[in-house]
Amino acid sequence: LLFFNRCHITTLFENDRHFSHLSTLEREMAFRTEMGLYYSYFKIIIEAPSFWNGVRAIMNDRLTEYPLVINTLQRFNLYPEVVLASWYRIYTAIMDFLGVPTKTCWTVNRGKGLSPVESCEGLGDPASFYVAVIFLLNGFMMSLFFIYGTYLSGSRLGGLITVVCFFFNHGECTRVMWTPPLRESFSYPFLVLQMLLLTYILRIPNINTGSLIALCVSNIFFMLPWQFAQFVLLTQIASLFAVCIMGYIDSCKLQKILSAHMVSLIVCFILMFGNSMLLTSYYAASLVVIWGILELSPKVLKSSRREVYLWVIEGCAWLFGTVTLKYLTSLAFGIADDAHIGNILKSKFIGYKDFDTLMYTCAAEFDFMEKETPVRYTKTLLLPVVLVVFGVIIKRVKMKSMQILCFCVFFFFFQLVYHALQLLAYSVLAILIMRLKLFLTPHLCVMASLVCSKQLFGWLFCKIQPKTLVFAILALMAIEGSANLQTQWNIMGEFSNLPQEELLEWIKVNTRQDAVFAGAMPTMASVKLSTLRPIVNHPHYEDAGLRARTKVVYSMYSRKPAKEVKRELIKLGVNYYILEESLCVSRKKPGCSMPEIWDVEDPANSGKIPLCTLMSKDSRPYFVTVFENSNYRVLKIPKE
């Protein structure tokens, strides 16, 4: 399974971009937006005189948010790049010592009057090594899914169903084959491991120290690479707390699980050099509040924990306590980096709008789930099967005979209650923000494995052989599932971005090494990666200070006067501005062109001609056009 899934996603990636035949510059350009930003730090470490020189360089970075010096390890969850860079340096050093070639290079004739480029293939090529490790890790994840499905259902047929469902719904489960450097590619496999370990802990009557340590370590490996991990773990502990207040898990066991979460959070806080977003997160606040409720509840609420009004009281106490503690800690530390999360949620429910919120919600991946997504789930029978499983879980949990079940069966059922609640949590996340279906779909695949569970469907297995039922379901799933796979395999492309290539080559040749650039976030990542020029803004939008800088940079697409925009850019120390006419006119949906977004933020200038339109015609007298092609225009900013 490891090598099969690795080969599958490697093939899709190669088919889409013809990656093996791209030049070094083209491969770097293929890592667009924040992918290029993350990869740039891997590049810095492997090109430094020594590994530790490279690490010191990214911990004292002067290029990413000029003129600031920032610790990118603290800000950007870059431990994957540090580890991969160390492995790459060790690998190449050993191969060089043994005299074994690590890559094969050749000249590629690109035709159409384009100059030929050198292309290298093999693990000695940095970009090829980087994506190969990512694909290997995600191949390992598929093995974990098989083990997870097998353990949860108690049958290897359950593991088979999980894996097959994942492949039949591959496009809904992951995007690693299109965007390998994203943080989820490194982080999500460890969430699968963590949930497998949690399932084991919930199933056994007594928790041993080793399983708690393993849970803690998997938490760390999940949280370190990805800033969003804390929100996923928040849904996990909320689901566990709900299971506890319903009486399906004792508070002592939950407190041990919470202690593992707390330790892992503190370790990540230390390894992230005191990243205050971790301690001021809803996740951290929720851990403390739940612990407090578990300690105080037996003393304050003397009645049975199974009474519904007590569930409501404890649930409201958790919600109010978490929000209040989060607000107070953010106030105490002066942190506003994750304020945009609340604004995004407000925009979903009450239509709230501001510049930063629209920058998120105008992107398709932050919109509500597409209506077609449940339809696709239904066509592969994933949704119908899981709905049947979900219904049977609810029915069995309600059975009064639950109270006289043996210990092992009792523990089996309350772990299913947790998985059902976790499924509901993932469903809410996915409905609100489309990209989060990357959590929902794999969990649906895991839940589908329970169709093989004797505890749930033993009554049915008395009438029909489990294998017959499973293979009948798989055969029906394969009708649409095989078509989905064929659609993926039929995707053929070849990466090419000549306008950006011309831009980057011009910057290398015609600007000083210390020339400072500003522009659209995706383009800035490419400029930093391929030219190593200082930039003032970038695609990692989760920092309050960076969001303020980006608003200044994007004022070129507003209707403000050119003189005002120039003055603000000079304050940031910008020498060159890269203007993209497409951003001035493109409109993903109503109200989402850059001038329209600025109309919300700056209504006083509404109705005027956008500055970017004026600059496209004539940049004088405030800017000087020094480079121009079909997509980009470089404006030099004369000093006043």
Side-chain angles (χ1 to χ4, degrees), residues 353-369:
K353 291 180 181 180
D354 65 14
F355 180 87
D356 295 326
T357 304
L358 287 170
M359 289 291 282
Y360 277 102
T361 56
C362 281
E365 59 265 32
F366 282 93
D367 205 346
F368 287 102
M369 179 192 283

Side-chain angles (χ1 to χ4, degrees), residues 3 35 69 107 127 138 153 164 199 246 266 279 321 343 406 450 510 517 521 541 592-593 609 620:
F3 290 104
M35 295 187 287
V69 178
T107 300
N138 282 265
S153 64
V164 172
T199 303
M246 287 189 289
I266 293 169
L279 291 189
N343 290 340
C406 67
L450 289 167
N510 295 281
F517 283 80
M521 291 183 282
Y541 207 56
C592 281
S593 70
I609 299 173
R620 294 172 297 178

